Amino acid sequence: MRTSAFGAMASAVLVLIAGACQDLDVVNLNNPDRERALAEPGDVEALIGSTWVGWWNRMVNASSLYLVMPTVADEGTATYANAASLELSSEPRPPFNNNPTSEAHGLSRNAWESFNEILSNANEGLFAIENGLVLETQDPGGDELSDNTERGRAFAMFARGLALGYLALFFDQAYITQPETDYEDLPPMSPYMEVRDSAVAAMESAIAVMEANAFTLPYTWLYVDGVTNEDLARIAHSFIARFLVYTARSPAQREGVDWNEVLRHIQAGITEDFAPVQDGDALYGYLWYYGTNNGSFSQHADYKLIGPADVSGNYQAWLGKDLRDRQPFLITTPDRRITGVDENGAPDPTADGKYFEYREDIPFTESRGIYHFSHYQWNRALSDWHPTEPWYSGPAHIMTVDEMNLLAAEAYYRLGMLQKAADLINLTRVGNGELPPVTTDGVPEAPDCVPRPQTDPAGSCGSLLDALHYERMIELAYMDGARTWMDRRGFGSLPEGTFLQLPVPGRELISLGYELYTFGGVGGTCAAGNATTCE
């Protein structure tokens, strides 16, 4: 009898995501017979339709990720120790602790299990369909049964590509399982680039089914009204673009991306923001709450995120100090996303910007490192971008047209089409930041130019690539819990020693009889500053 990959890969323990604030291991004593459950069209369709919510919960609603990864990426900063956030975001950066008894281990274990569960459920749905099951089901509000087999097939294939893609984005290796895989005899794990290629192939196969069949998704599959087969194909193309760009572990790998292929998928991708609607019940994201509340259990904006906007010299002075002496400072900038202006129209370091706000009080613990303190906090979640009445309601823009434009800008830059790159960068730089447009030569020379080079923030005004990097960090902040970490490793801007990928969880390794291994730490394997060891 077939068993789920999730069950096999979690040592026969089914993991349930119990509540938004914690990840709990629970033995499911009521697991129905798999073959019997997969014989019912409604059950199979429900299994397929639930897959994407598993991705949502892991990326924006699970504490082991949203508490940790923004701080690891120097997107947010905090001094809470929960889920090993303080440990993994402190400097000098330590190796990732892959011992199953460590608190840090939850990050890799929960991500591994979530993405493999999505993969398993998608495979099970496809296995049932490929063995002749017809999904003759009734849509919400409908009176008659309809043949929804191709819709189910397309979405299961989409979910399969999504799971493989995020396994490749996070881990050094993973299983590439198929609908027909015997999970009692799993294939060897494959390196992340092969997993990524399998994800792209799965998404492209899904797109082919979407293009050949007209359908509309049930609302609860993506929590967006009226998603058609054409809409879903666009979302799939945009995820492929993400996989191709964000999988790179280093600037060298980023340069080697097939940028023409990236452009092809972007041009076929989304034309409006992908923004599932949080309802405070079935769908909500704790990421944005902890990114915007101002308690001790919150994140402020890391100075390494917004500091490149500073034109006063305070950021450069802060970087030049010992960690123990890095006191929080005020930012003066012409970028209206970071701060506002005073009554005379001059930059005011304490006036709220479009995306960030000033916090006089910093409710952090000084003994855990004053360098973690910041006077600023991301507040875009309090705008139309993430309405918060209450905080977990309204559309959540987890993939935007701006993101695709800025990925395309990098493609044009890498392909030598610098004017096209500059034009796309200026869409948000000028329109949202109210900054002077960049040219093919980069940021125009001026005493208050933004940004300056990441490697020499006290030097001349930034290059076109510096401007692109800055624009991506500011415009795409808090899109999900890990996007910034993935993007920064390709730009080479993570602090030295930051792990650039996660190992297969220690608990999984022990169950297979393998030795523990890990990444990160100053001078360690596959760590920022030593990225060639990822390849």
Side-chain angles (χ1 to χ4, degrees):
M1 184 177 76
R2 292 169 56 80
T3 57
S4 74
F6 181 52
M9 288 185 248
S11 303
V13 177
L14 293 179
V15 176
L16 304 178
I17 306 305
C21 293
Q22 56 187 333
D23 300 292
L24 300 176
D25 288 352
V26 180
V27 177
N28 182 1
L29 301 178
N30 300 304
N31 188 37
D33 179 89
R34 198 71 172 172
E35 291 182 351
R36 178 166 54 83
L38 292 175
E40 296 297 326
D43 292 339
V44 172
E45 187 177 60
L47 181 71
I48 291 170
S50 70
T51 50
W52 177 83
V53 174
W55 176 90
W56 166 279
N57 284 334
R58 179 51 46 200
M59 297 303 294
V60 303
N61 204 40
S63 58
S64 61
L65 195 144
Y66 72 71
L67 288 179
V68 182
M69 293 310 296
T71 64
V72 170
D74 283 345
E75 178 178 46
T77 185
T79 58
Y80 54 74
N82 302 65
S85 177
L86 183 66
E87 172 189 338
L88 295 175
S89 65
S90 292
E91 297 182 44
R93 290 285 164 87
F96 178 81
N97 190 341
N98 199 27
N99 189 302
T101 63
S102 72
E103 191 166 11
H105 180 261
L107 172 63
S108 62
R109 174 172 56 83
N110 292 320
W112 176 265
E113 291 174 348
S114 289
F115 300 137
N116 276 305
E117 181 181 21
I118 296 168
L119 179 58
S120 172
N121 289 345
N123 280 339
E124 294 291 1
L126 287 169
F127 180 80
I129 292 171
E130 290 172 4
N131 280 274
L133 183 67
V134 176
L135 298 186
E136 192 173 40
T137 56
Q138 182 175 311
D139 288 332
D143 296 326
E144 299 180 358
L145 296 179
S146 302
D147 185 346
N148 291 313
T149 305
E150 294 310 306
R151 181 179 72 182
R153 188 196 308 274
F155 200 79
M157 295 169 76
F158 167 81
R160 186 171 179 276
L162 186 68
L164 288 168
Y166 275 79
L167 284 166
L169 288 166
F170 275 90
F171 294 96
D172 67 311
Q173 56 183 324
Y175 298 104
I176 303 175
T177 57
Q178 307 288 342
E180 65 275 11
T181 295
D182 178 356
Y183 294 119
E184 294 181 356
D185 185 22
L186 287 167
M189 285 185 274
S190 300
Y192 67 89
M193 279 298 188
E194 291 182 17
V195 180
R196 185 207 65 180
D197 291 345
S198 293
V200 172
M203 281 292 192
E204 289 181 327
S205 295
I207 290 167
V209 176
M210 296 167 197
E211 291 176 342
N213 297 276
F215 56 76
T216 300
L217 295 183
Y219 175 77
T220 56
W221 288 20
L222 290 177
Y223 285 84
V224 178
D225 267 325
V227 176
T228 68
N229 57 300
E230 294 175 343
D231 299 327
L232 186 59
R234 290 188 175 278
I235 293 170
H237 276 294
S238 292
F239 269 115
I240 293 175
R242 278 187 172 184
F243 299 160
L244 294 175
V245 176
Y246 296 150
T247 303
R249 269 56 168 172
S250 66
Q253 279 194 350
R254 183 66 70 78
E255 288 181 9
V257 167
D258 186 340
W259 291 104
N260 283 306
E261 191 68 359
V262 172
L263 281 175
R264 181 176 76 83
H265 287 291
I266 290 173
Q267 289 162 0
I270 59 171
T271 56
E272 58 183 34
D273 292 354
F274 176 33
V277 178
Q278 303 169 96
D279 60 6
D281 182 16
L283 201 74
Y284 50 94
Y286 273 86
L287 168 69
W288 303 299
Y289 172 70
Y290 286 101
T292 57
N293 86 85
N294 196 38
S296 59
F297 204 59
S298 66
Q299 296 176 18
H300 282 200
D302 198 291
Y303 278 123
K304 290 184 179 179
L305 175 71
I306 57 177
D310 180 59
V311 299
S312 70
N314 288 341
Y315 178 54
Q316 290 75 26
W318 182 83
L319 286 173
K321 294 178 180 178
D322 184 85
L323 288 173
R324 294 168 295 181
D325 298 324
R326 288 185 181 175
Q327 297 286 336
F329 62 88
L330 298 181
I331 288 176
T332 301
T333 180
D335 191 333
R336 296 284 69 84
R337 294 167 293 190
I338 312 301
T339 64
V341 296
D342 62 21
E343 59 186 13
N344 298 314
D348 182 350
T350 64
D352 293 348
K354 296 175 181 178
Y355 299 176
F356 298 87
E357 62 186 334
Y358 172 75
R359 295 286 199 181
E360 182 176 359
D361 296 327
I362 306 173
F364 293 172
T365 304
E366 186 170 343
S367 62
R368 293 180 174 180
I370 193 70
Y371 66 95
H372 290 294
F373 285 38
S374 168
H375 275 303
Y376 299 89
Q377 190 169 35
W378 185 74
N379 71 358
R380 202 175 183 186
L382 305 179
S383 70
D384 290 340
W385 207 62
H386 282 285
T388 54
E389 294 293 339
W391 59 264
Y392 44 67
S393 68
H397 295 239
I398 59 172
M399 177 186 283
T400 64
V401 173
D402 286 338
E403 178 189 10
M404 293 300 115
N405 284 337
L406 291 168
L407 292 179
E410 184 172 4
Y412 287 127
Y413 174 86
R414 303 291 185 186
L415 294 170
M417 293 180 269
L418 302 187
Q419 188 59 56
K420 286 189 173 183
D423 290 343
L424 289 174
I425 293 168
N426 287 331
L427 289 176
T428 51
R429 174 182 169 87
V430 178
N432 298 337
E434 301 179 34
L435 294 168
V438 294
T439 69
T440 57
D441 294 325
V443 179
E445 290 290 338
D448 63 348
C449 65
V450 174
R452 297 182 185 276
Q454 293 286 324
T455 54
D456 182 21
S460 60
C461 300
S463 67
L464 188 59
L465 187 60
D466 291 322
L468 172 62
H469 179 276
Y470 173 78
E471 207 61 24
R472 285 245 280 269
M473 296 303 102
I474 299 301
E475 283 293 331
L476 309 183
Y478 283 91
M479 188 165 291
D480 63 45
R483 194 218 66 85
T484 295
W485 168 70
M486 295 169 181
D487 205 7
R488 274 195 186 276
R489 64 188 175 186
F491 281 115
S493 63
L494 289 168
E496 183 181 6
T498 304
F499 59 89
L500 300 177
Q501 60 189 4
L502 288 172
V504 173
R507 190 170 72 171
E508 177 75 9
L509 295 172
I510 290 173
S511 73
L512 294 170
Y514 298 158
E515 292 185 4
L516 296 181
Y517 68 95
T518 195
F519 302 112
V522 176
T525 301
C526 196
N530 195 22
T532 56
T533 56
C534 300
E535 301 168 8

